[in-house]
Amino acid sequence: VNSILTAGILCGGIYALQREFTRPKGLALELCNAVHRGEMQLYFQPQIDDVGTIHGAEALLRWQHPQRGQIPPGDFIPVAEEAGLMPLLGGWVLKEACRTLAIWSDDPVLSKLTLAVNVSASQFQIEGFESSVLEYVGFYRIDPTLLQLELTESVLVHDLAPTVAKMERLRATGISIALDDFGTGYSSLSYLRRLPLDQLKIDRSFVKESLESERGAALVKSIVQLGIDLGFVVLAEGIETPAQHAFLLDCGCHEFQGYLFGRPMRETDFAAHVQQATGAAAQPAPVRSR
Ligand code: C2E
Ligand code: MG
Ligand code: MG
Ligand code: MG
């Protein structure tokens, strides 16, 4: 909680430095203020299991810009990275995610859901990353086993040993770790032998190609099998059609995420969606009277 404040105070200083040494960036300055102005929002996209039950959500960042409207993360995260604002932004995301899990913990249905948070490589490498995560978990008294961190293969450009050690310490607290966008990085597969992971998220490009060619199908099948053989939970991202779902289910995939099951939505909409889906499953089919 403190680190957010510190980051906020540092923010002006960081930007001043940036302006000294690099070209001025309007968006970076605005980003810095956006967090404090409450313009950032987390959206929630459902993740379902192999029988169709909502198992959890992925938290996805949105910037509600007062003039430009909603800006997707692909447009501002690179700016934040470059301006050194990821500790501020990522810290806000983690805190907000833990706060959401705390709210959910009071509800009989929502309290069972996991929440996955994207963590950029630069954010993960920061000295205080681990302690800030644990600080939020403690502050909001949430169950760490419901929190998942999504890392990408870009964490592997750094020294593997300290990265592995950090992942292991986090996992020892009950937090789980997913490897996001699996297969799209440039790393060698050998890291899979060493990375302490719970879940592999198969990138949506593979899902898309799975029904477009025989090679696309063979590739995704083999990737899913690899994940299963290594003992990971395998989740397929970007499922848009029933045919893609059926194919990935047939491959043995454990979990699914994509527009077919729900777009990223605001917390209130997500909660209503879960209640409705759960209610629909729990209620017996209505008896038709005449
Ligand atoms: P990601 O972590 O791989 O998240 C999945 C992205 O795929 C999301 O885009 C989601 O809206 C989109 N998506 C989900 N289902 C479908 C589908 O069926 N079809 C298609 N075409 N797309 C689908 P979004 O929200 O724009 O986020 C893009 C990326 O930005 C994320 O990819 C993640 O790498 C990054 N990001 C988002 N939020 C955060 C955050 O809080 N921190 C960090 N470090 N990165 C974030
Ligand atoms: Mg999960
Ligand atoms: Mg992700
Ligand atoms: Mg992904």
Side-chain angles (χ1 to χ4, degrees):
V1 185
N2 244 336
S3 48
I4 288 265
L5 286 177
T6 317
I9 292 159
L10 282 175
C11 205
I14 290 167
Y15 183 70
L17 280 175
Q18 286 283 325
R19 200 162 40 177
E20 289 262 278
F21 298 117
T22 65
R23 64 218 131 93
K25 278 263 177 79
L27 207 57
L29 178 61
E30 284 189 61
L31 248 178
C32 203
N33 296 323
V35 175
H36 305 291
R37 287 194 191 133
E39 294 168 12
M40 291 295 164
Q41 286 179 332
L42 283 189
Y43 271 48
F44 300 85
Q45 186 178 32
Q47 297 181 329
I48 69 152
D49 67 17
D50 57 352
V51 295
T53 308
I54 300 176
H55 160 94
E58 175 174 6
L60 293 157
L61 190 57
R62 298 288 180 266
W63 180 4
Q64 205 57 52
H65 191 283
Q67 283 86 39
R68 302 182 207 212
Q70 194 176 82
I71 309 182
D75 290 355
F76 65 84
I77 284 180
V79 178
E81 287 280 3
E82 205 191 328
L85 294 174
M86 271 329 273
L88 175 71
L89 209 55
W92 182 85
V93 171
L94 266 169
K95 181 170 184 261
E96 191 63 14
C98 291
R99 194 178 69 85
T100 305
L101 277 172
I103 293 169
W104 290 355
S105 72
D106 292 327
D107 182 278
V109 176
L110 298 170
S111 60
K112 298 190 181 74
L113 303 184
T114 57
L115 185 56
V117 179
N118 293 284
V119 175
S120 80
S122 66
Q123 184 188 358
F124 187 78
Q125 302 307 331
I126 292 165
E127 255 307 280
F129 175 74
E130 245 175 285
S131 53
S132 69
V133 175
L134 299 179
E135 200 179 320
Y136 298 137
V137 167
F139 181 82
Y140 288 108
R141 298 164 184 269
I142 58 160
D143 176 357
T145 64
L146 298 178
L147 182 64
Q148 185 166 62
L149 305 178
E150 294 194 1
L151 305 174
T152 59
E153 290 167 44
S154 57
V155 295
L156 303 165
V157 302
H158 300 266
D159 236 356
L160 199 55
T163 300
V164 166
K166 203 178 229 182
M167 290 169 74
E168 267 165 359
R169 288 194 301 271
L170 283 161
R171 285 182 78 232
T173 71
I175 293 169
S176 65
I177 299 184
L179 192 61
D180 202 357
D181 306 336
F182 178 66
T184 58
Y186 294 97
S187 357
S188 121
L189 281 175
S190 67
Y191 65 80
L192 282 181
R193 203 170 40 215
R194 290 186 57 197
L195 282 188
L197 293 169
D198 297 282
Q199 183 179 90
L200 275 193
K201 295 191 77 176
I202 299 180
D203 190 71
R204 71 166 186 267
S205 58
F206 294 110
V207 169
K208 190 166 179 294
E209 284 154 24
S210 68
L211 296 182
E212 290 174 356
S213 69
E214 268 174 42
R215 283 195 181 188
L219 196 58
V220 89
K221 220 174 193 161
S222 306
I223 295 173
V224 173
Q225 198 53 52
L226 176 68
I228 293 171
D229 291 344
L230 290 170
F232 304 138
V233 170
V234 181
L235 181 148
E237 294 192 272
I239 304 278
E240 294 182 353
T241 68
Q244 288 170 343
H245 181 213
F247 182 74
L248 271 296
L249 200 57
D250 194 48
C251 290
C253 226
H254 306 109
E255 291 184 20
F256 308 86
Q257 184 181 342
Y259 294 164
L260 181 65
F261 311 106
R263 297 215 167 221
M265 46 196 133
R266 270 190 245 264
E267 197 275 329
T268 45
D269 295 333
F270 176 76
H273 176 85
V274 172
Q275 302 291 3
Q276 197 201 17
T278 316
Q283 302 293 307
V287 183
R288 290 235 177 88
S289 56
R290 264 182 300 148

PDB file of all heavy atoms in Angstrom, residues 102-118:
ATOM      1  N   ALA A 102     -11.173  -9.776  -2.204  1.00  0.00           N
ATOM      2  CA  ALA A 102     -11.700  -9.578  -0.843  1.00  0.00           C
ATOM      3  C   ALA A 102     -13.217  -9.359  -0.888  1.00  0.00           C
ATOM      4  O   ALA A 102     -13.957  -9.907  -0.068  1.00  0.00           O
ATOM      5  CB  ALA A 102     -11.009  -8.392  -0.181  1.00  0.00           C
ATOM      6  N   ILE A 103     -13.671  -8.594  -1.874  1.00  0.00           N
ATOM      7  CA  ILE A 103     -15.119  -8.366  -2.026  1.00  0.00           C
ATOM      8  C   ILE A 103     -15.815  -9.691  -2.352  1.00  0.00           C
ATOM      9  O   ILE A 103     -16.834 -10.037  -1.764  1.00  0.00           O
ATOM     10  CB  ILE A 103     -15.389  -7.308  -3.124  1.00  0.00           C
ATOM     11  CG1 ILE A 103     -14.864  -5.939  -2.671  1.00  0.00           C
ATOM     12  CG2 ILE A 103     -16.885  -7.237  -3.457  1.00  0.00           C
ATOM     13  CD1 ILE A 103     -14.833  -4.885  -3.767  1.00  0.00           C
ATOM     14  N   TRP A 104     -15.229 -10.435  -3.269  1.00  0.00           N
ATOM     15  CA  TRP A 104     -15.817 -11.719  -3.666  1.00  0.00           C
ATOM     16  C   TRP A 104     -15.871 -12.709  -2.503  1.00  0.00           C
ATOM     17  O   TRP A 104     -16.728 -13.590  -2.472  1.00  0.00           O
ATOM     18  CB  TRP A 104     -15.025 -12.341  -4.827  1.00  0.00           C
ATOM     19  CG  TRP A 104     -15.191 -11.601  -6.128  1.00  0.00           C
ATOM     20  CD1 TRP A 104     -16.011 -10.535  -6.371  1.00  0.00           C
ATOM     21  CD2 TRP A 104     -14.502 -11.872  -7.363  1.00  0.00           C
ATOM     22  NE1 TRP A 104     -15.875 -10.129  -7.676  1.00  0.00           N
ATOM     23  CE2 TRP A 104     -14.962 -10.928  -8.312  1.00  0.00           C
ATOM     24  CE3 TRP A 104     -13.552 -12.809  -7.764  1.00  0.00           C
ATOM     25  CZ2 TRP A 104     -14.509 -10.901  -9.627  1.00  0.00           C
ATOM     26  CZ3 TRP A 104     -13.090 -12.794  -9.065  1.00  0.00           C
ATOM     27  CH2 TRP A 104     -13.563 -11.841  -9.993  1.00  0.00           C
ATOM     28  N   SER A 105     -14.941 -12.588  -1.569  1.00  0.00           N
ATOM     29  CA  SER A 105     -14.838 -13.591  -0.500  1.00  0.00           C
ATOM     30  C   SER A 105     -16.088 -13.618   0.388  1.00  0.00           C
ATOM     31  O   SER A 105     -16.309 -14.580   1.109  1.00  0.00           O
ATOM     32  CB  SER A 105     -13.589 -13.351   0.338  1.00  0.00           C
ATOM     33  OG  SER A 105     -13.764 -12.197   1.130  1.00  0.00           O
ATOM     34  N   ASP A 106     -16.898 -12.571   0.332  1.00  0.00           N
ATOM     35  CA  ASP A 106     -18.124 -12.539   1.127  1.00  0.00           C
ATOM     36  C   ASP A 106     -19.304 -13.208   0.434  1.00  0.00           C
ATOM     37  O   ASP A 106     -20.374 -13.328   1.012  1.00  0.00           O
ATOM     38  CB  ASP A 106     -18.518 -11.079   1.439  1.00  0.00           C
ATOM     39  CG  ASP A 106     -17.529 -10.433   2.386  1.00  0.00           C
ATOM     40  OD1 ASP A 106     -16.981 -11.156   3.239  1.00  0.00           O
ATOM     41  OD2 ASP A 106     -17.283  -9.218   2.249  1.00  0.00           O
ATOM     42  N   ASP A 107     -19.114 -13.618  -0.810  1.00  0.00           N
ATOM     43  CA  ASP A 107     -20.223 -14.195  -1.573  1.00  0.00           C
ATOM     44  C   ASP A 107     -20.033 -15.709  -1.732  1.00  0.00           C
ATOM     45  O   ASP A 107     -18.934 -16.156  -2.051  1.00  0.00           O
ATOM     46  CB  ASP A 107     -20.264 -13.520  -2.954  1.00  0.00           C
ATOM     47  CG  ASP A 107     -21.412 -14.023  -3.808  1.00  0.00           C
ATOM     48  OD1 ASP A 107     -21.264 -15.100  -4.435  1.00  0.00           O
ATOM     49  OD2 ASP A 107     -22.459 -13.354  -3.820  1.00  0.00           O
ATOM     50  N   PRO A 108     -21.108 -16.480  -1.518  1.00  0.00           N
ATOM     51  CA  PRO A 108     -20.961 -17.941  -1.586  1.00  0.00           C
ATOM     52  C   PRO A 108     -20.479 -18.453  -2.949  1.00  0.00           C
ATOM     53  O   PRO A 108     -19.788 -19.467  -3.017  1.00  0.00           O
ATOM     54  CB  PRO A 108     -22.364 -18.466  -1.264  1.00  0.00           C
ATOM     55  CG  PRO A 108     -23.283 -17.297  -1.380  1.00  0.00           C
ATOM     56  CD  PRO A 108     -22.468 -16.072  -1.128  1.00  0.00           C
ATOM     57  N   VAL A 109     -20.855 -17.769  -4.020  1.00  0.00           N
ATOM     58  CA  VAL A 109     -20.462 -18.236  -5.360  1.00  0.00           C
ATOM     59  C   VAL A 109     -19.134 -17.612  -5.803  1.00  0.00           C
ATOM     60  O   VAL A 109     -18.193 -18.310  -6.204  1.00  0.00           O
ATOM     61  CB  VAL A 109     -21.580 -17.902  -6.383  1.00  0.00           C
ATOM     62  CG1 VAL A 109     -21.147 -18.287  -7.791  1.00  0.00           C
ATOM     63  CG2 VAL A 109     -22.872 -18.626  -6.013  1.00  0.00           C
ATOM     64  N   LEU A 110     -19.045 -16.288  -5.683  1.00  0.00           N
ATOM     65  CA  LEU A 110     -17.840 -15.579  -6.155  1.00  0.00           C
ATOM     66  C   LEU A 110     -16.590 -15.948  -5.357  1.00  0.00           C
ATOM     67  O   LEU A 110     -15.472 -15.879  -5.863  1.00  0.00           O
ATOM     68  CB  LEU A 110     -18.071 -14.058  -6.084  1.00  0.00           C
ATOM     69  CG  LEU A 110     -19.198 -13.508  -6.965  1.00  0.00           C
ATOM     70  CD1 LEU A 110     -19.478 -12.043  -6.628  1.00  0.00           C
ATOM     71  CD2 LEU A 110     -18.835 -13.633  -8.444  1.00  0.00           C
ATOM     72  N   SER A 111     -16.797 -16.359  -4.110  1.00  0.00           N
ATOM     73  CA  SER A 111     -15.648 -16.663  -3.240  1.00  0.00           C
ATOM     74  C   SER A 111     -14.854 -17.875  -3.707  1.00  0.00           C
ATOM     75  O   SER A 111     -13.742 -18.098  -3.244  1.00  0.00           O
ATOM     76  CB  SER A 111     -16.126 -16.891  -1.806  1.00  0.00           C
ATOM     77  OG  SER A 111     -17.040 -17.972  -1.780  1.00  0.00           O
ATOM     78  N   LYS A 112     -15.419 -18.644  -4.633  1.00  0.00           N
ATOM     79  CA  LYS A 112     -14.698 -19.828  -5.122  1.00  0.00           C
ATOM     80  C   LYS A 112     -13.836 -19.517  -6.342  1.00  0.00           C
ATOM     81  O   LYS A 112     -13.069 -20.357  -6.801  1.00  0.00           O
ATOM     82  CB  LYS A 112     -15.701 -20.929  -5.481  1.00  0.00           C
ATOM     83  CG  LYS A 112     -16.510 -21.402  -4.288  1.00  0.00           C
ATOM     84  CD  LYS A 112     -17.323 -22.650  -4.636  1.00  0.00           C
ATOM     85  CE  LYS A 112     -18.146 -23.121  -3.460  1.00  0.00           C
ATOM     86  NZ  LYS A 112     -19.322 -22.238  -3.213  1.00  0.00           N
ATOM     87  N   LEU A 113     -13.997 -18.314  -6.879  1.00  0.00           N
ATOM     88  CA  LEU A 113     -13.321 -17.990  -8.137  1.00  0.00           C
ATOM     89  C   LEU A 113     -11.869 -17.569  -7.957  1.00  0.00           C
ATOM     90  O   LEU A 113     -11.513 -16.872  -7.010  1.00  0.00           O
ATOM     91  CB  LEU A 113     -14.069 -16.863  -8.854  1.00  0.00           C
ATOM     92  CG  LEU A 113     -15.547 -17.106  -9.162  1.00  0.00           C
ATOM     93  CD1 LEU A 113     -16.113 -15.937  -9.950  1.00  0.00           C
ATOM     94  CD2 LEU A 113     -15.729 -18.417  -9.922  1.00  0.00           C
ATOM     95  N   THR A 114     -11.045 -17.989  -8.921  1.00  0.00           N
ATOM     96  CA  THR A 114      -9.650 -17.547  -8.946  1.00  0.00           C
ATOM     97  C   THR A 114      -9.585 -16.246  -9.752  1.00  0.00           C
ATOM     98  O   THR A 114     -10.455 -15.970 -10.576  1.00  0.00           O
ATOM     99  CB  THR A 114      -8.759 -18.585  -9.632  1.00  0.00           C
ATOM    100  OG1 THR A 114      -9.245 -18.822 -10.956  1.00  0.00           O
ATOM    101  CG2 THR A 114      -8.749 -19.907  -8.869  1.00  0.00           C
ATOM    102  N   LEU A 115      -8.558 -15.464  -9.516  1.00  0.00           N
ATOM    103  CA  LEU A 115      -8.368 -14.253 -10.298  1.00  0.00           C
ATOM    104  C   LEU A 115      -6.924 -14.196 -10.791  1.00  0.00           C
ATOM    105  O   LEU A 115      -5.981 -14.257  -9.999  1.00  0.00           O
ATOM    106  CB  LEU A 115      -8.715 -13.011  -9.468  1.00  0.00           C
ATOM    107  CG  LEU A 115      -8.681 -11.677 -10.213  1.00  0.00           C
ATOM    108  CD1 LEU A 115      -9.593 -11.680 -11.437  1.00  0.00           C
ATOM    109  CD2 LEU A 115      -9.070 -10.527  -9.281  1.00  0.00           C
ATOM    110  N   ALA A 116      -6.791 -14.121 -12.113  1.00  0.00           N
ATOM    111  CA  ALA A 116      -5.466 -14.081 -12.722  1.00  0.00           C
ATOM    112  C   ALA A 116      -5.096 -12.648 -13.075  1.00  0.00           C
ATOM    113  O   ALA A 116      -5.916 -11.903 -13.617  1.00  0.00           O
ATOM    114  CB  ALA A 116      -5.447 -14.953 -13.975  1.00  0.00           C
ATOM    115  N   VAL A 117      -3.880 -12.262 -12.756  1.00  0.00           N
ATOM    116  CA  VAL A 117      -3.396 -10.898 -12.966  1.00  0.00           C
ATOM    117  C   VAL A 117      -2.165 -10.944 -13.877  1.00  0.00           C
ATOM    118  O   VAL A 117      -1.250 -11.741 -13.643  1.00  0.00           O
ATOM    119  CB  VAL A 117      -2.998 -10.271 -11.610  1.00  0.00           C
ATOM    120  CG1 VAL A 117      -2.465  -8.863 -11.796  1.00  0.00           C
ATOM    121  CG2 VAL A 117      -4.171 -10.275 -10.648  1.00  0.00           C
ATOM    122  N   ASN A 118      -2.166 -10.102 -14.897  1.00  0.00           N
ATOM    123  CA  ASN A 118      -0.997 -10.033 -15.776  1.00  0.00           C
ATOM    124  C   ASN A 118       0.124  -9.249 -15.107  1.00  0.00           C
ATOM    125  O   ASN A 118      -0.111  -8.166 -14.570  1.00  0.00           O
ATOM    126  CB  ASN A 118      -1.374  -9.349 -17.094  1.00  0.00           C
ATOM    127  CG  ASN A 118      -2.335 -10.192 -17.903  1.00  0.00           C
ATOM    128  OD1 ASN A 118      -1.950 -11.176 -18.523  1.00  0.00           O
ATOM    129  ND2 ASN A 118      -3.616  -9.824 -17.864  1.00  0.00           N
TER     130      ASN A 118
END
